[in-house]
Amino acid sequence: MTIKSEVTPLQSSPSWKLDCNNGRNILTLSGIWLAKNNNIPTIPDGCFRHAYDNQSLYFDTSSLKQWDSSLIVFLWSIKLQAAQSNIPFDQDSLPEAACKLLSLLSEKPAPVAKRAPYHFQPLVRVGDWFIQSLSDLGKAWMVFIETLKGITSIVAGKSYMRIVDLIQYIRDAGPSALIIISIVNFLVGSILGFVGAVQLRRFAADAYVANLVGIATVREMAVVMTAIVMSGRTGGAYAARIATMQGNEEIDSLKVMGIPISQYLILPSMLSLVFTMPFLYLYGCFMGILGGLTVSIIMLNVTVIGFLQQTFGAVEFNQFIFGGVKSIAFAIFIGISSCHIGLKAGRSAADVGVAATRAVVAGIVGVIALDAIFAVIADIIGI
Amino acid sequence: MSNIAAKNPPLLSVKNLTLAYGSRVIQENINFDVKRGSIFALMGGSGCGKSTLLKSMIGLLQPKKGDYQVNGESYWAASQNRRIDIAHKFGVLFQSAALWSSMTVGENVALPLQMFTHLSDSMIHRLVELKLGLVGMEYAIDLYPSELSGGMRKRCGLARALALDPEVLFFDEPSAGLDPITSKRLDDLILNLRDGLGATIIIVSHELPSLFSIADDGLFMGSENKTPIAYGSPSYLRDHPPNEFVDDFMHRQRSDYKKQKG
């Protein structure tokens, strides 16, 4: 009985032939067996049906020319089928290098490890998400409380926070952010000025463009835009840095040494934002009003003095206080949420990216949600 | 050049190489040849520049001076595209295995095959199974690196290094962090792969028992004078140390301690 591979057009093409005659099982291999040629034959299931039981499978490789891993792939499948059919596999008749590689391959490969199958259960997923969100909120709150305790430790002179870290963080969060804060707030102020000019000119209320730009910038836009920029720039960086530390076991080593993470890592991160955000907010107000002024001078018949007089007449001092309080609240939120997200990240490179993305998204959504709450509070207290 | 040397030119040849990070010289005057099919060890104390030399040999760090030839062709003098072609002959097992964490083990091994060959998907799948089978990790084909232990990751990293049937395999501290049994198995695997694939192997390691059992040739790099201080197989350098430092290193003891013992 003879079984062989499909007839191939070229003599050099890889081929095999199984002869089961005169009580011997002989597999003849011939041709060039190179994976890159994409013509490696396969062995059909049950090819040893007609082979002699308990008689070794020998190989004739006299016509075998060049070969690479693809021959080993083929021989391994032969070895597995032979083992299933109780036919001893005599690899001594194979090239020595092939024997060495085949000896590394098991006759009974371990079953492929599978993950639990995925079942679509929307209610379970929503429930899981809700519980996880509540848990995260609770943990973030605990981180906040621990960080506040760190402030009392500073007062008591027993803090683990290093001043040099705080200075470095302040430099990164403050002066280094000035350019982007300038650009964003100037452009937002310009857009407000432009929209105001186009609309208010219809009612001959050109002078009130200054009121619109001033109030909108000081009360809402400067603080919200600055917070969004900081959550993207600084919050994302905090989350990525802490997630990387998680992957390098640096967080573990802090825990083992008993150094409180809340004081060593989170407190300087949060304080740097708390110290810099009010100043960035004021700077953002200046740049926003400057943007509105520039557009007004170009589009309307106003003077610099006139625009500034109108602006300061419209914007009361308590608006700046309110904006400043909001900027501190946003700073605390961005600092705590980004550090918390970094701390609960996984340990791989992909997890660092996920943590940074989550921190930015949480920061932006959280800042806008907090701003809505502040708007309601402002209405209640009459600011 | 003798007839034998002319018939069997070295696969890799390093000539007067100087390695530096900016103006900081790490090693200079490095000269050695690696014979085809041999296992070559890069040895030396911590911080002497072994991994830096390895980086230069795999194309990650351009040397400040000197020549590095692969099959007689100057690697760093070649164009960027040619260097990429030459690098396809290399397989590298990094110290941390460096598996791509967002892919399964099978996808890690398949990626070089998908990128640099025109093989059918079924052939790629069969080759992936084979490479993982060679390192005894065929069952982990659908797992992610984060689900594996350090030793398993190293073996999967080796399977990925073998993906393109490389002529040269580079190992950076393959036994670091492994238990003695796993380390011994890895040594046996390296020997079998050398014999089976006919690959040439360059290995950076501090594991002396491992080096004594597998390496045919080597280079010992000094950290103080920033230049190689000895050439020869690890077992030869153990038995014929050229100086006290190499002697101490190969026998895992300090000179002052030896003197105290008399």
Side-chain angles (χ1 to χ4, degrees), chain A residues 20-70:
Chain A
C20 304
N21 296 316
N22 305 324
R24 281 166 66 88
N25 302 317
I26 298 174
L27 185 74
T28 305
L29 298 167
S30 56
I32 297 172
W33 291 67
L34 293 178
K36 67 179 181 187
N37 295 338
N38 244 340
N39 58 357
I40 303 302
T42 51
I43 189 109
D45 287 339
C47 68
F48 294 111
R49 220 176 15 243
H50 304 290
Y52 294 105
D53 283 345
N54 298 319
Q55 289 294 317
S56 291
L57 174 68
Y58 296 100
F59 293 89
D60 175 4
T61 56
S62 53
S63 305
L64 180 65
K65 294 170 186 168
Q66 272 181 288
W67 61 271
D68 65 5
S69 298
S70 58

CSV table of all heavy atoms in Angstrom, one decimal, chain A residues 20-70:
chain,number,residue,atom,x,y,z
A,20,CYS,N,4.0,1.0,2.6
A,20,CYS,CA,3.8,0.0,3.7
A,20,CYS,C,3.7,-1.4,3.0
A,20,CYS,O,2.7,-1.9,2.6
A,20,CYS,CB,2.5,0.3,4.4
A,20,CYS,SG,2.4,1.9,5.1
A,21,ASN,N,4.9,-1.9,2.7
A,21,ASN,CA,5.0,-3.2,2.0
A,21,ASN,C,6.0,-4.1,2.7
A,21,ASN,O,7.0,-3.6,3.3
A,21,ASN,CB,5.5,-2.9,0.5
A,21,ASN,CG,4.5,-2.1,-0.3
A,21,ASN,OD1,3.3,-2.4,-0.2
A,21,ASN,ND2,4.9,-1.1,-1.0
A,22,ASN,N,5.9,-5.4,2.5
A,22,ASN,CA,6.8,-6.3,3.1
A,22,ASN,C,7.1,-6.1,4.5
A,22,ASN,O,8.2,-6.3,5.0
A,22,ASN,CB,8.2,-6.3,2.3
A,22,ASN,CG,8.0,-6.5,0.8
A,22,ASN,OD1,7.1,-7.3,0.4
A,22,ASN,ND2,8.7,-5.8,0.0
A,23,GLY,N,6.0,-5.7,5.3
A,23,GLY,CA,6.2,-5.6,6.7
A,23,GLY,C,6.9,-4.4,7.2
A,23,GLY,O,7.3,-4.3,8.4
A,24,ARG,N,7.2,-3.4,6.3
A,24,ARG,CA,8.0,-2.2,6.7
A,24,ARG,C,7.2,-1.0,6.3
A,24,ARG,O,6.5,-0.9,5.3
A,24,ARG,CB,9.3,-2.2,6.0
A,24,ARG,CG,10.4,-3.1,6.6
A,24,ARG,CD,11.5,-3.3,5.7
A,24,ARG,NE,12.3,-2.1,5.4
A,24,ARG,CZ,13.3,-1.7,6.2
A,24,ARG,NH1,13.7,-2.5,7.2
A,24,ARG,NH2,14.0,-0.6,5.9
A,25,ASN,N,7.3,0.0,7.2
A,25,ASN,CA,6.7,1.3,6.9
A,25,ASN,C,7.8,2.3,6.6
A,25,ASN,O,8.7,2.6,7.5
A,25,ASN,CB,6.0,1.8,8.2
A,25,ASN,CG,4.9,0.9,8.6
A,25,ASN,OD1,4.1,0.3,7.8
A,25,ASN,ND2,4.8,0.6,9.9
A,26,ILE,N,7.8,2.8,5.3
A,26,ILE,CA,8.9,3.7,4.9
A,26,ILE,C,8.3,5.0,4.4
A,26,ILE,O,7.4,4.9,3.5
A,26,ILE,CB,9.8,3.0,3.9
A,26,ILE,CG1,10.5,1.8,4.5
A,26,ILE,CG2,10.9,4.0,3.4
A,26,ILE,CD1,11.3,1.0,3.5
A,27,LEU,N,8.7,6.1,4.9
A,27,LEU,CA,8.3,7.4,4.4
A,27,LEU,C,9.4,8.0,3.7
A,27,LEU,O,10.5,8.3,4.2
A,27,LEU,CB,7.8,8.3,5.6
A,27,LEU,CG,7.2,9.6,5.2
A,27,LEU,CD1,5.8,9.5,4.7
A,27,LEU,CD2,7.2,10.6,6.4
A,28,THR,N,9.2,8.2,2.4
A,28,THR,CA,10.2,8.8,1.5
A,28,THR,C,10.0,10.3,1.4
A,28,THR,O,8.9,10.8,1.1
A,28,THR,CB,10.2,8.2,0.1
A,28,THR,OG1,10.3,6.8,0.3
A,28,THR,CG2,11.4,8.7,-0.7
A,29,LEU,N,11.0,11.1,1.7
A,29,LEU,CA,10.9,12.6,1.6
A,29,LEU,C,11.8,13.0,0.4
A,29,LEU,O,13.0,12.6,0.3
A,29,LEU,CB,11.4,13.3,2.9
A,29,LEU,CG,10.5,12.9,4.1
A,29,LEU,CD1,11.3,13.4,5.4
A,29,LEU,CD2,9.2,13.6,4.0
A,30,SER,N,11.3,13.9,-0.4
A,30,SER,CA,12.2,14.4,-1.5
A,30,SER,C,11.9,15.8,-1.8
A,30,SER,O,10.8,16.4,-1.4
A,30,SER,CB,12.0,13.5,-2.7
A,30,SER,OG,10.6,13.5,-3.1
A,31,GLY,N,12.8,16.5,-2.6
A,31,GLY,CA,12.6,17.9,-3.0
A,31,GLY,C,13.1,18.9,-2.0
A,31,GLY,O,13.8,18.5,-1.1
A,32,ILE,N,12.8,20.1,-2.3
A,32,ILE,CA,13.2,21.3,-1.5
A,32,ILE,C,12.1,21.7,-0.5
A,32,ILE,O,11.0,22.1,-1.0
A,32,ILE,CB,13.7,22.4,-2.4
A,32,ILE,CG1,14.9,22.0,-3.2
A,32,ILE,CG2,14.0,23.7,-1.5
A,32,ILE,CD1,15.3,23.0,-4.3
A,33,TRP,N,12.4,21.6,0.8
A,33,TRP,CA,11.4,22.0,1.8
A,33,TRP,C,11.7,23.3,2.4
A,33,TRP,O,12.3,23.4,3.4
A,33,TRP,CB,11.3,20.9,2.8
A,33,TRP,CG,10.8,19.6,2.4
A,33,TRP,CD1,11.3,18.7,1.5
A,33,TRP,CD2,9.5,19.0,2.7
A,33,TRP,NE1,10.5,17.6,1.3
A,33,TRP,CE2,9.4,17.8,2.0
A,33,TRP,CE3,8.5,19.3,3.6
A,33,TRP,CZ2,8.3,16.9,2.2
A,33,TRP,CZ3,7.4,18.5,3.8
A,33,TRP,CH2,7.3,17.3,3.0
A,34,LEU,N,11.3,24.4,1.7
A,34,LEU,CA,11.5,25.7,2.3
A,34,LEU,C,10.2,26.4,2.5
A,34,LEU,O,9.4,26.5,1.5
A,34,LEU,CB,12.4,26.5,1.4
A,34,LEU,CG,13.9,26.0,1.2
A,34,LEU,CD1,14.7,26.9,0.2
A,34,LEU,CD2,14.6,26.0,2.6
A,35,ALA,N,10.0,27.0,3.7
A,35,ALA,CA,8.7,27.6,4.0
A,35,ALA,C,8.4,28.7,3.0
A,35,ALA,O,7.3,29.0,2.6
A,35,ALA,CB,8.7,28.1,5.4
A,36,LYS,N,9.5,29.5,2.6
A,36,LYS,CA,9.2,30.7,1.8
A,36,LYS,C,8.6,30.3,0.4
A,36,LYS,O,8.1,31.2,-0.3
A,36,LYS,CB,10.5,31.5,1.6
A,36,LYS,CG,11.6,30.7,0.8
A,36,LYS,CD,12.8,31.6,0.7
A,36,LYS,CE,13.9,30.8,-0.2
A,36,LYS,NZ,15.1,31.5,-0.3
A,37,ASN,N,8.8,29.1,0.0
A,37,ASN,CA,8.2,28.7,-1.3
A,37,ASN,C,6.7,28.4,-1.2
A,37,ASN,O,6.0,28.2,-2.3
A,37,ASN,CB,8.9,27.4,-1.8
A,37,ASN,CG,10.3,27.7,-2.2
A,37,ASN,OD1,10.7,28.8,-2.4
A,37,ASN,ND2,11.2,26.6,-2.2
A,38,ASN,N,6.2,28.4,0.0
A,38,ASN,CA,4.7,28.3,0.2
A,38,ASN,C,4.1,27.1,-0.4
A,38,ASN,O,3.0,27.1,-0.9
A,38,ASN,CB,4.0,29.6,-0.3
A,38,ASN,CG,3.3,30.3,0.8
A,38,ASN,OD1,3.1,29.7,1.9
A,38,ASN,ND2,3.1,31.6,0.6
A,39,ASN,N,4.8,26.0,-0.5
A,39,ASN,CA,4.3,24.8,-1.2
A,39,ASN,C,4.5,23.5,-0.3
A,39,ASN,O,4.6,22.4,-0.9
A,39,ASN,CB,4.9,24.6,-2.6
A,39,ASN,CG,6.4,24.4,-2.5
A,39,ASN,OD1,7.0,24.6,-1.4
A,39,ASN,ND2,7.1,24.2,-3.6
A,40,ILE,N,4.5,23.7,1.0
A,40,ILE,CA,4.7,22.6,1.9
A,40,ILE,C,3.5,21.7,1.9
A,40,ILE,O,2.4,22.2,2.3
A,40,ILE,CB,5.1,23.1,3.3
A,40,ILE,CG1,6.4,24.0,3.2
A,40,ILE,CG2,5.4,21.9,4.2
A,40,ILE,CD1,7.6,23.4,2.6
A,41,PRO,N,3.6,20.4,1.6
A,41,PRO,CA,2.4,19.5,1.7
A,41,PRO,C,2.0,19.2,3.1
A,41,PRO,O,2.8,19.4,4.0
A,41,PRO,CB,2.9,18.3,1.0
A,41,PRO,CG,4.4,18.3,1.1
A,41,PRO,CD,4.8,19.7,1.2
A,42,THR,N,0.8,18.8,3.2
A,42,THR,CA,0.3,18.4,4.6
A,42,THR,C,0.1,16.9,4.5
A,42,THR,O,0.0,16.3,3.4
A,42,THR,CB,-1.0,19.1,4.9
A,42,THR,OG1,-1.9,18.9,3.8
A,42,THR,CG2,-0.8,20.5,5.2
A,43,ILE,N,-0.1,16.3,5.7
A,43,ILE,CA,-0.3,14.8,5.7
A,43,ILE,C,-1.8,14.6,6.1
A,43,ILE,O,-2.3,15.3,7.0
A,43,ILE,CB,0.7,14.2,6.8
A,43,ILE,CG1,0.6,12.7,6.7
A,43,ILE,CG2,0.4,14.6,8.2
A,43,ILE,CD1,1.9,12.1,6.2
A,44,PRO,N,-2.5,13.8,5.3
A,44,PRO,CA,-3.9,13.6,5.6
A,44,PRO,C,-4.1,12.8,6.9
A,44,PRO,O,-3.3,12.0,7.3
A,44,PRO,CB,-4.4,12.8,4.4
A,44,PRO,CG,-3.2,12.1,3.9
A,44,PRO,CD,-2.0,13.0,4.2
A,45,ASP,N,-5.2,13.1,7.6
A,45,ASP,CA,-5.6,12.4,8.8
A,45,ASP,C,-5.7,10.9,8.5
A,45,ASP,O,-6.2,10.5,7.4
A,45,ASP,CB,-6.9,12.9,9.4
A,45,ASP,CG,-6.7,14.3,10.0
A,45,ASP,OD1,-5.5,14.6,10.3
A,45,ASP,OD2,-7.7,15.0,10.1
A,46,GLY,N,-5.3,10.1,9.4
A,46,GLY,CA,-5.5,8.6,9.2
A,46,GLY,C,-4.6,8.0,8.1
A,46,GLY,O,-4.9,7.0,7.5
A,47,CYS,N,-3.5,8.6,7.8
A,47,CYS,CA,-2.6,8.1,6.8
A,47,CYS,C,-1.9,6.8,7.2
A,47,CYS,O,-1.4,6.1,6.4
A,47,CYS,CB,-1.5,9.2,6.4
A,47,CYS,SG,-0.4,9.5,7.6
A,48,PHE,N,-1.9,6.5,8.5
A,48,PHE,CA,-1.3,5.3,9.0
A,48,PHE,C,-2.3,4.1,9.1
A,48,PHE,O,-2.0,3.1,9.8
A,48,PHE,CB,-0.5,5.5,10.3
A,48,PHE,CG,0.7,6.4,10.1
A,48,PHE,CD1,0.6,7.7,10.7
A,48,PHE,CD2,1.8,6.0,9.4
A,48,PHE,CE1,1.7,8.6,10.5
A,48,PHE,CE2,2.9,6.9,9.3
A,48,PHE,CZ,2.8,8.1,9.8
A,49,ARG,N,-3.5,4.3,8.5
A,49,ARG,CA,-4.5,3.3,8.6
A,49,ARG,C,-4.1,2.0,8.1
A,49,ARG,O,-4.3,0.9,8.6
A,49,ARG,CB,-5.8,3.8,7.8
A,49,ARG,CG,-7.1,3.5,8.5
A,49,ARG,CD,-8.3,4.1,7.8
A,49,ARG,NE,-8.1,4.5,6.4
A,49,ARG,CZ,-8.2,5.7,6.0
A,49,ARG,NH1,-8.6,6.7,6.9
A,49,ARG,NH2,-8.1,6.1,4.7
A,50,HIS,N,-3.3,2.0,7.0
A,50,HIS,CA,-2.9,0.8,6.3
A,50,HIS,C,-1.4,0.4,6.7
A,50,HIS,O,-0.8,-0.5,6.1
A,50,HIS,CB,-3.0,0.9,4.8
A,50,HIS,CG,-4.4,1.3,4.4
A,50,HIS,ND1,-5.4,0.4,4.5
A,50,HIS,CD2,-4.9,2.4,3.9
A,50,HIS,CE1,-6.5,1.0,4.0
A,50,HIS,NE2,-6.2,2.2,3.7
A,51,ALA,N,-0.8,1.2,7.7
A,51,ALA,CA,0.5,0.9,8.0
A,51,ALA,C,0.6,-0.4,8.9
A,51,ALA,O,-0.4,-0.7,9.6
A,51,ALA,CB,1.1,2.1,8.8
A,52,TYR,N,1.7,-1.0,9.0
A,52,TYR,CA,1.9,-2.2,9.9
A,52,TYR,C,2.0,-1.7,11.3
A,52,TYR,O,2.8,-0.9,11.7
A,52,TYR,CB,3.1,-3.0,9.5
A,52,TYR,CG,3.1,-3.6,8.1
A,52,TYR,CD1,3.7,-3.0,7.0
A,52,TYR,CD2,2.3,-4.7,7.9
A,52,TYR,CE1,3.7,-3.6,5.8
A,52,TYR,CE2,2.2,-5.3,6.6
A,52,TYR,CZ,2.9,-4.7,5.6
A,52,TYR,OH,2.7,-5.2,4.3
A,53,ASP,N,1.1,-2.3,12.2
A,53,ASP,CA,1.1,-1.9,13.6
A,53,ASP,C,2.4,-2.4,14.2
A,53,ASP,O,3.0,-3.4,13.9
A,53,ASP,CB,-0.1,-2.6,14.3
A,53,ASP,CG,-1.4,-1.9,14.0
A,53,ASP,OD1,-1.3,-0.8,13.5
A,53,ASP,OD2,-2.4,-2.5,14.3
A,54,ASN,N,2.8,-1.5,15.2
A,54,ASN,CA,4.0,-1.8,16.0
A,54,ASN,C,5.3,-2.0,15.2
A,54,ASN,O,6.2,-2.6,15.7
A,54,ASN,CB,3.8,-3.0,16.9
A,54,ASN,CG,2.6,-2.7,17.9
A,54,ASN,OD1,2.5,-1.6,18.4
A,54,ASN,ND2,1.7,-3.7,18.1
A,55,GLN,N,5.2,-1.6,13.9
A,55,GLN,CA,6.5,-1.7,13.1
A,55,GLN,C,6.9,-0.2,13.0
A,55,GLN,O,6.1,0.7,12.7
A,55,GLN,CB,6.2,-2.2,11.7
A,55,GLN,CG,5.9,-3.7,11.7
A,55,GLN,CD,7.1,-4.6,12.1
A,55,GLN,OE1,8.2,-4.3,11.7
A,55,GLN,NE2,6.9,-5.5,13.0
A,56,SER,N,8.2,0.0,13.2
A,56,SER,CA,8.7,1.4,13.2
A,56,SER,C,8.5,2.0,11.8
A,56,SER,O,8.5,1.4,10.8
A,56,SER,CB,10.2,1.4,13.5
A,56,SER,OG,10.4,1.0,14.8
A,57,LEU,N,8.4,3.4,11.9
A,57,LEU,CA,8.3,4.2,10.7
A,57,LEU,C,9.7,4.6,10.4
A,57,LEU,O,10.4,5.3,11.2
A,57,LEU,CB,7.4,5.3,10.9
A,57,LEU,CG,7.3,6.4,9.8
A,57,LEU,CD1,6.6,5.7,8.5
A,57,LEU,CD2,6.5,7.6,10.2
A,58,TYR,N,10.2,4.2,9.2
A,58,TYR,CA,11.6,4.6,8.8
A,58,TYR,C,11.5,5.7,7.7
A,58,TYR,O,10.4,5.9,7.1
A,58,TYR,CB,12.3,3.4,8.2
A,58,TYR,CG,12.6,2.3,9.2
A,58,TYR,CD1,11.8,1.2,9.2
A,58,TYR,CD2,13.6,2.4,10.1
A,58,TYR,CE1,12.0,0.2,10.2
A,58,TYR,CE2,13.8,1.4,11.1
A,58,TYR,CZ,13.0,0.3,11.1
A,58,TYR,OH,13.2,-0.7,12.0
A,59,PHE,N,12.6,6.4,7.6
A,59,PHE,CA,12.6,7.5,6.6
A,59,PHE,C,13.7,7.3,5.5
A,59,PHE,O,14.8,6.8,5.8
A,59,PHE,CB,12.9,8.8,7.3
A,59,PHE,CG,11.7,9.2,8.2
A,59,PHE,CD1,11.7,8.8,9.6
A,59,PHE,CD2,10.7,10.0,7.8
A,59,PHE,CE1,10.7,9.2,10.4
A,59,PHE,CE2,9.6,10.3,8.6
A,59,PHE,CZ,9.7,9.9,9.9
A,60,ASP,N,13.3,7.6,4.3
A,60,ASP,CA,14.3,7.6,3.2
A,60,ASP,C,14.4,9.1,2.8
A,60,ASP,O,13.5,9.7,2.2
A,60,ASP,CB,13.7,6.8,2.1
A,60,ASP,CG,14.7,6.8,0.8
A,60,ASP,OD1,15.7,7.5,0.9
A,60,ASP,OD2,14.3,6.2,-0.2
A,61,THR,N,15.6,9.6,3.1
A,61,THR,CA,15.8,11.1,2.8
A,61,THR,C,16.9,11.2,1.7
A,61,THR,O,17.5,12.3,1.6
A,61,THR,CB,16.2,11.8,4.0
A,61,THR,OG1,17.4,11.2,4.6
A,61,THR,CG2,15.1,11.9,5.1
A,62,SER,N,17.1,10.2,0.9
A,62,SER,CA,18.2,10.3,-0.1
A,62,SER,C,17.9,11.3,-1.2
A,62,SER,O,18.8,11.9,-1.7
A,62,SER,CB,18.4,8.9,-0.7
A,62,SER,OG,17.2,8.4,-1.2
A,63,SER,N,16.6,11.6,-1.4
A,63,SER,CA,16.2,12.6,-2.4
A,63,SER,C,15.9,14.0,-1.8
A,63,SER,O,15.4,14.9,-2.5
A,63,SER,CB,15.0,12.2,-3.2
A,63,SER,OG,15.3,10.9,-3.8
A,64,LEU,N,16.1,14.1,-0.5
A,64,LEU,CA,15.7,15.3,0.2
A,64,LEU,C,16.9,16.3,0.0
A,64,LEU,O,18.0,16.0,0.2
A,64,LEU,CB,15.6,15.0,1.7
A,64,LEU,CG,15.2,16.3,2.6
A,64,LEU,CD1,13.9,16.8,2.3
A,64,LEU,CD2,15.3,15.9,4.1
A,65,LYS,N,16.5,17.5,-0.5
A,65,LYS,CA,17.5,18.5,-0.8
A,65,LYS,C,17.5,19.6,0.4
A,65,LYS,O,17.5,19.2,1.5
A,65,LYS,CB,17.3,19.2,-2.1
A,65,LYS,CG,17.5,18.1,-3.2
A,65,LYS,CD,17.0,18.6,-4.6
A,65,LYS,CE,17.1,17.5,-5.6
A,65,LYS,NZ,16.4,17.8,-6.8
A,66,GLN,N,17.4,20.8,0.1
A,66,GLN,CA,17.4,21.9,1.1
A,66,GLN,C,16.1,21.7,2.0
A,66,GLN,O,15.1,21.4,1.5
A,66,GLN,CB,17.3,23.2,0.5
A,66,GLN,CG,18.7,23.8,0.2
A,66,GLN,CD,18.5,25.2,-0.4
A,66,GLN,OE1,18.0,25.3,-1.6
A,66,GLN,NE2,18.8,26.2,0.3
A,67,TRP,N,16.2,22.1,3.3
A,67,TRP,CA,15.1,22.1,4.2
A,67,TRP,C,15.2,23.2,5.3
A,67,TRP,O,16.3,23.6,5.6
A,67,TRP,CB,14.8,20.7,4.7
A,67,TRP,CG,15.9,20.2,5.6
A,67,TRP,CD1,16.9,19.4,5.2
A,67,TRP,CD2,16.0,20.3,7.0
A,67,TRP,NE1,17.7,19.1,6.2
A,67,TRP,CE2,17.2,19.6,7.4
A,67,TRP,CE3,15.3,20.9,8.0
A,67,TRP,CZ2,17.6,19.5,8.7
A,67,TRP,CZ3,15.7,20.8,9.3
A,67,TRP,CH2,16.9,20.1,9.6
A,68,ASP,N,14.1,23.6,5.8
A,68,ASP,CA,14.1,24.5,7.0
A,68,ASP,C,13.0,24.1,8.0
A,68,ASP,O,12.6,22.9,7.9
A,68,ASP,CB,14.0,25.9,6.5
A,68,ASP,CG,12.7,26.3,5.9
A,68,ASP,OD1,11.8,25.4,5.9
A,68,ASP,OD2,12.5,27.4,5.4
A,69,SER,N,12.5,25.0,8.7
A,69,SER,CA,11.5,24.7,9.8
A,69,SER,C,10.3,24.0,9.2
A,69,SER,O,9.6,23.3,9.9
A,69,SER,CB,11.1,26.0,10.5
A,69,SER,OG,12.1,26.6,11.1
A,70,SER,N,10.0,24.3,7.9
A,70,SER,CA,8.7,23.7,7.4
A,70,SER,C,8.8,22.2,7.3
A,70,SER,O,7.8,21.5,7.5
A,70,SER,CB,8.5,24.3,5.9
A,70,SER,OG,9.6,23.9,5.1
